Structure formats: C-alpha cells, structure tokens
Amino acid sequence: MKVRVSVSLKPGVLDPQGRAVHHALEGLGFAGVENVRVGRLIELDVADDTSDEALDDMCRKLLANMVIENFRIEKLPETVGAA
Amino acid sequence: MKVRVSVSLKPGVLDPQGRAVHHALEGLGFAGVENVRVGRLIELDVADDTSDEALDDMCRKLLANMVIENFRIEKLPETVGAA
C-alpha cells in the first residue's frame, strides 16, 4: 500500500526556506506570488495490513515534529498491477 | 489562489534521506515498511490570474531540479472566504 504523508509547518511558524524561495521567485521575475511555505512529502510503501494507528504513530514519533509541524496522511489507491 | 507543488526524486535516483527514515522506522519497531522516499511540498499563494505556464516555469527554473526530480502541480480550491 502506498501512503503519502505531507508535513507542513504550522501557521505562524517562521519559514525561512519558504521566504528564500519567495524571494528567489521574485528575483526571477515571477509576479503575483504572495506567500511560499516549504514542507516535506514522505512516500511510504507499507504492508497492506498496516493500521491507521500505526501510520499516525509513525508521523508523531518520527516523521513530523509535532511542536511546529502538522501532518496529513493520504492512502493512495494502487495503480497498475492491482488485481 | 493556492497551489501545491509536490517535488519527488525520479525513480532510480538514490534517496539517502528516505533510507535513513526507513531505517529509523524499523528501529522504532514499525514492521512492514518496504520503502520510503522523501520529497518536498511547496505551497504557494499566487495571484488568481497566474497562468499554468508561469507555474510550470517556476517549477522548472527554481522549485525542482529537473535532472533528478519530478514535480506535480495541484491547484487547490479556495476554502473559507471564497465568494
């Protein structure tokens, strides 16, 4: 089973990386960019019987820093080759 | 307009960060994890009249390294406050 975990900074937490990207986009001449936030995207291949609790636990214990980050778990439908 | 850009390593490109996360998950006792890939998630607030070409251009010129990474652009529907 493919699982996609999106980890993003909580609102209000300063994001210097996002600010640098924003600045660079303006420097390249892209107008109309108002805000940029940079997070992480973690794609996991896990056994089909992995429970939602286990996935939640992985995020809380390792993948996200719960003090400053939020996470979102999406299970992806199997694509080619799924019977 | 909110736009979410997902940047992930192309298949076959070595991902030491993903391997480290995989190893750490196993060390924490999570069984059944087969593979982990780590990418970036970039959330942009852009003007509503920003063209698809401009977004594509931003990705190619700055947000993704086209030699080793793929990107995917998703436009998010406006939520609260949209008329």
Side-chain angles (χ1 to χ4, degrees):
Chain A
M1 176 174 64
K2 288 211 179 266
V3 177
R4 185 184 294 152
V5 176
S6 309
V7 178
S8 52
L9 285 169
K10 289 185 178 175
V13 177
L14 209 65
D15 180 4
Q17 196 184 357
R19 190 171 290 193
V21 171
H22 187 177
H23 191 73
L25 284 172
E26 286 179 338
L28 285 170
F30 292 107
V33 180
E34 281 147 35
N35 194 25
V36 181
R37 306 280 284 173
V38 178
R40 286 194 305 288
L41 180 74
I42 302 156
E43 288 172 326
L44 304 159
D45 273 337
V46 296
D48 285 346
D49 60 355
T50 305
S51 67
D52 290 356
E53 290 73 37
L55 291 172
D56 196 82
D57 227 26
M58 289 180 200
C59 292
R60 289 177 187 280
K61 285 192 179 159
L62 184 74
L63 304 181
N65 175 353
M66 295 306 298
V67 178
I68 57 167
E69 292 172 330
N70 288 324
F71 65 88
R72 202 180 61 246
I73 298 172
E74 286 169 273
K75 293 182 181 183
L76 304 186
E78 291 293 335
T79 50
V80 185
Chain B
M1 176 173 66
K2 288 209 179 269
V3 176
R4 186 185 291 152
V5 176
S6 310
V7 179
S8 52
L9 285 169
K10 288 185 177 175
V13 177
L14 209 66
D15 181 6
Q17 194 183 358
R19 189 171 289 192
V21 170
H22 188 177
H23 191 74
L25 285 172
E26 287 178 338
L28 286 170
F30 293 106
V33 179
E34 281 148 36
N35 194 25
V36 181
R37 306 278 286 173
V38 178
R40 285 193 307 289
L41 181 74
I42 302 158
E43 289 172 326
L44 304 160
D45 274 338
V46 296
D48 285 346
D49 60 356
T50 306
S51 67
D52 289 358
E53 290 73 38
L55 291 172
D56 197 82
D57 227 27
M58 289 180 200
C59 292
R60 291 180 187 278
K61 285 194 179 158
L62 183 74
L63 304 179
N65 175 352
M66 295 306 298
V67 178
I68 56 168
E69 292 172 331
N70 288 324
F71 65 87
R72 204 178 61 247
I73 297 172
E74 285 169 275
K75 294 183 181 183
L76 304 186
E78 291 293 333
T79 50
V80 185

